[in-house]
């Protein structure tokens, strides 16, 4: 095996669910990886703790009001301390960075990820919203700057692992598995009354609040369909969502000869994070192993796009192309935040998203500036729709 050089990783969103698990991977392999930069939005105490432990070259807090606290807490250490979103982009672009882990949540991750690509940095991509909003643009940029985009999302990592060694063998179909979330068995009537607390209890994964709500509405799976299109260059008809509540198969690829390859494992995001870091190699890890003798129930079913309307809306956005998925994402960020604040009931989310998709200006060939304008416009429209009831 070729010797693996120690990788210096900039983690955008180090205090989140993905960010903290990425630091666990780094802690387990100090000979292979080091945290070059750590960034957070608000959680300054955790960022301070992480900085003292991992001794990065730089830290950034996006919320400038917390800069002083961060600066003072790290004054005794040779760590550069910055604040604001520009600084966030700058640490990702820095010369010594070998890889950027995009682990921020939402649309906010788009610009720093674009800047990192433009600086020629390989991307480990957790921030799926970046590809949902601007997949075509991101692919063009990555091609131009010869930058690999390595998926961290567990399903896409699974697909990527299935494709290893397949050279250019065409994909016939991607089977994207979905746990179905906490409301898989709920009737429409029950869905109308589910609470935020119920939605936040995901059966198999412990994740940030936003993606947990997206999983409950299955918008997360819709986003993953869009993400798969841009990552693997397949048509929407080639992506089939399969509900697999046990979350043991993380996704599958069917080839032209009918062979199906799958990647399996216990649900643990550290594995896909580590694979993005170590690709094309595999690195020994302490994660739990599957015990097949304990798997008694292994099931698959079709998703219900009537009860989980968000999934249908995501397919629609994908078919319509242009800035439609950007509109879908912006409206979803608005309703997701509103649901988390108990401002709207569960089923109202997909209604507002649909209305926003109908009312926001469609652009067939959007530029980056168009995406920025579309995001702002769609948020405004979604707010208006929510208040209109
Ligand atoms: P999280 O909410 O736990 O963490 C988000 C991180 O981003 C935090 O460090 C936060 O400080 C930072 N952040 C948020 N908004 C920011 C802003 N405006 N400016 C700067 N920093 C900001 O989220 P998460 O669950 O870790 O998810 C991160 C991304 O990874 C999301 O796009 C999600 O869809 C994706 N993802 C997560 C999981 C998972 O298991 N958590 C799995 C697959 C994909
Ligand atoms: Mg996923």
């Amino acid at each position: 095996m070729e010797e693996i050089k120690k990788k210096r990783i900039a983690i955008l969103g180090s205090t989140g669910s993905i960010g903290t698990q990425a630091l666990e991977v780094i802690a387990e392999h100090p000979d292979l990886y080091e945290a070059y930069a750590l960034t957070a939005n608000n959680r300054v105490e955790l960022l301070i703790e992480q900085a003292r432990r991992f001794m990065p070259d730089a830290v950034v807090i996006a919320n400038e009001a917390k800069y002083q606290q961060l600066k003072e807490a790290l004054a005794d250490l040779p760590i550069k301390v910055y604040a604001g979103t520009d600084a966030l982009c700058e640490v990702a672009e820095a010369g010594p960075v070998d890889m950027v882990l995009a682990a921020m949540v939402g649309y906010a991750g788009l610009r720093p990820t674009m800047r990192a690509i433009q600086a020629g940095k390989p991307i480990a991509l957790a921030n799926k919203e970046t590809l949902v909003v601007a997949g075509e643009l991101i692919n063009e940029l990555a091609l131009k700057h010869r930058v690999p985009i390595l998926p961290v999302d567990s399903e896409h990592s699974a697909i990527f692992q299935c494709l290893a060694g397949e050279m250019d063998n065409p994909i016939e179909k991607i089977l994207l598995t979905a746990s179905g979330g906490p409301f898989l068995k709920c009737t429409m009537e029950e869905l109308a009354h589910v609470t935020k607390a119920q939605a936040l209890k995901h059966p198999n994964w412990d994740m940030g609040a936003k993606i947990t709500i997206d999983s409950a509405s299955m918008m997360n799976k819709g986003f993953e369909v869009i993400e798969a299109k841009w990552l693997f260059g397949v048509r929407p008809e080639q992506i089939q969502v399969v509900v697999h509540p046990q979350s043991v198969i993380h996704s599958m690829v069917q080839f032209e000869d009918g062979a199906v390859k799958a990647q399996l494992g216990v649900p643990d995001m550290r594995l896909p994070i580590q694979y993005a870091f170590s690709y094309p190699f595999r690195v020994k890890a302490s994660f739990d192993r599957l015990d097949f003798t304990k798997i008694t129930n292994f099931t698959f079913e079709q998703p219900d796009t009537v009860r989980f309307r968000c999934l249908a809306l995501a397919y629609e956005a994908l078919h319509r192309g242009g800035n439609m998925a950007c509109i879908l994402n912006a409206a979803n960020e608005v309703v997701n935040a509103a649901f988390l604040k108990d401002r709207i009931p569960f089923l109202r989310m997909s209604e507002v998203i649909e209305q926003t998709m109908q009312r926001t200006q469609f652009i067939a060939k959007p530029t980056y500036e168009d995406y920025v304008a579309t995001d702002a416009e769609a948020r405004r429209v979604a707010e208006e729709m929510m208040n209109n009831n």
Side-chain angles (χ1 to χ4, degrees), residues 128 153-156 211 220-221 224:
K128 65 189 83 185
D153 212 347
S154 59
E155 295 77 2
H156 305 76
I211 184 178
N220 182 53
K221 209 47 60 178
E224 291 183 354

Side-chain angles (χ1 to χ4, degrees), residues 41-98:
N41 193 27
N42 262 314
R43 297 179 63 185
V44 67
E45 278 91 8
L46 181 54
L47 185 60
I48 292 165
E49 198 183 305
Q50 292 179 336
R52 299 199 77 90
R53 170 150 181 232
F54 288 91
M55 292 297 292
D57 202 75
V59 293
V60 182
I61 186 90
N63 180 350
E64 298 184 21
K66 308 241 163 132
Y67 173 73
Q68 213 48 41
Q69 185 185 352
L70 182 62
K71 177 99 188 140
E72 280 163 23
L74 300 176
D76 60 321
L77 298 173
I79 299 176
K80 299 184 204 96
V81 180
Y82 305 104
T85 43
D86 273 334
L88 211 127
C89 297
E90 281 153 23
V91 294
E93 293 167 338
V97 171
D98 295 311

Side-chain angles (χ1 to χ4, degrees), residues 12-19 21 39-43 62 85 88 102-106 108 126-129 152-154 205-209 211 220 224 269:
L12 303 180
S14 67
T15 56
S17 158
I18 293 290
Q21 294 181 86
T39 82
N41 193 27
N42 262 314
R43 297 179 63 185
T85 43
L88 211 127
M104 290 162 59
V105 60
N127 179 242
K128 65 189 83 185
E129 293 91 343
V152 168
D153 212 347
S154 59
W205 300 96
D206 184 9
M207 309 177 286
I211 184 178
N220 182 53
E224 291 183 354
M269 285 308 295

Side-chain angles (χ1 to χ4, degrees), residues 228-293:
K229 178 203 151 96
W230 296 120
L231 282 172
F232 305 112
V234 290
R235 297 186 308 280
E237 316 79 76
Q238 289 174 289
I239 310 169
Q240 181 184 356
V241 174
V242 180
V243 175
H244 167 51
Q246 298 79 24
S247 296
V248 170
I249 295 185
H250 298 313
S251 277
M252 302 179 259
V253 179
Q254 182 175 305
F255 294 93
E256 290 193 311
D257 56 359
V260 178
K261 284 167 81 173
Q263 187 259 334
L264 288 72
V266 290
D268 186 333
M269 285 308 295
R270 289 175 302 172
L271 192 146
I273 293 167
Q274 176 175 302
Y275 190 71
F277 287 176
S278 70
Y279 177 80
F281 304 108
R282 288 188 185 274
V283 170
K284 194 160 178 54
S286 62
F287 320 137
D288 287 347
R289 302 318 196 228
L290 273 182
D291 181 349
F292 282 87
T293 62

